[in-house]
Amino acid sequence: MASKRREKPRWRNWARNQECAPAVIEQSSTEEDIATIVRTAAEKGQRVKVVGSGHSFTGIALTDGRLVRLDNYQRILHVDREKLQVTVQAGIKLQRLYDRLWELGMALPNAGDIAYQSISGAVSTSTHGTGRRFTGLAAQVAGLRLVTAAGELIDCSPDSNPAVFKAARVSLGALGIVSTLTLQCVPAF
């Protein structure tokens, strides 16, 4: 009797021009899930890559290690109406965020035109909006939490770990996994 060889899972980006066969495709629904995935990968000597919507044309998300999907990690965690800030899980898709912000009477001051991206993907790749007067999404980040390669959590903002904060906003995932972001909003318009 022939033995069955188990095929590795496959992943492709949205344009179908990049593809990989990671050892494992993981789904995260909590920050602790993300940290556990990172620690397990470190123990096994595997690379970790995170994908949101897979919107990038490049091979940046490709890995033979662990591919982490954040489709189940899309909640708004905290709303500060006084400061007009929201803290969100990194996997929230922009359209969902925009809809929730609208319900809260808030909006992002500027946004890109691809609404199915995850917020962390859009920030980490320096997605921009329109108009010379407006900043890109990364400049709207007031704070973030990063899961390091050791699976530790680091809170970053202009006041706490400011050098890491500046680099992590547009890090392309090189510094770790962005797990939450606090976004500076404006009144809905």
Side-chain angles (χ1 to χ4, degrees):
M1 178 180 215
S3 65
K4 284 188 176 182
R5 188 168 159 227
R6 189 167 165 216
E7 293 287 322
K8 280 186 169 182
R10 300 205 65 75
W11 178 85
R12 281 190 218 156
N13 68 344
W14 74 279
R16 299 197 175 281
N17 69 327
Q18 301 292 331
E19 182 176 336
C20 66
V24 179
I25 296 177
E26 304 268 18
Q27 290 279 348
S28 298
S29 57
T30 68
E31 192 170 62
E32 185 52 39
D33 284 349
I34 296 169
T36 299
I37 290 165
V38 171
R39 287 190 294 268
T40 301
E43 289 169 8
K44 295 183 178 211
Q46 295 174 318
R47 286 181 280 221
V48 178
K49 293 289 189 158
V50 178
V51 293
S53 64
H55 182 67
S56 178
F57 287 104
T58 72
I60 195 165
L62 302 183
T63 185
D64 58 358
R66 292 179 179 266
L67 187 82
V68 181
R69 298 189 58 103
L70 299 177
D71 298 334
N72 298 328
Y73 195 66
Q74 296 196 52
R75 293 180 29 235
I76 290 181
L77 301 173
H78 180 72
V79 177
D80 185 330
R81 291 182 184 275
E82 189 174 305
K83 290 183 180 178
L84 286 174
Q85 293 180 344
V86 295
T87 301
V88 300
Q89 291 177 324
I92 194 167
K93 299 295 190 275
L94 293 178
Q95 187 62 59
R96 183 177 184 161
L97 175 60
Y98 300 155
D99 291 345
R100 288 290 292 126
L101 289 176
W102 180 257
E103 292 168 9
L104 294 167
M106 298 181 199
L108 293 179
N110 194 21
D113 66 343
I114 308 295
Y116 54 84
Q117 287 178 284
S118 67
I119 187 63
S120 62
V123 167
S124 294
T125 58
S126 194
T127 293
H128 57 84
T130 58
R132 293 185 331 168
R133 299 178 320 169
F134 299 105
T135 64
L137 289 176
Q140 297 167 41
V141 177
L144 60 85
R145 181 172 286 162
L146 194 64
V147 179
T148 69
E152 297 169 346
L153 302 176
I154 296 177
D155 288 311
C156 307
S157 72
D159 300 322
S160 174
N161 296 309
V164 175
F165 173 69
K166 286 179 183 179
R169 288 185 299 169
V170 186
S171 67
L172 301 172
L175 295 179
I177 298 174
V178 174
S179 62
T180 63
L181 297 111
T182 299
L183 304 167
Q184 183 61 57
C185 300
V186 295
F189 56 91

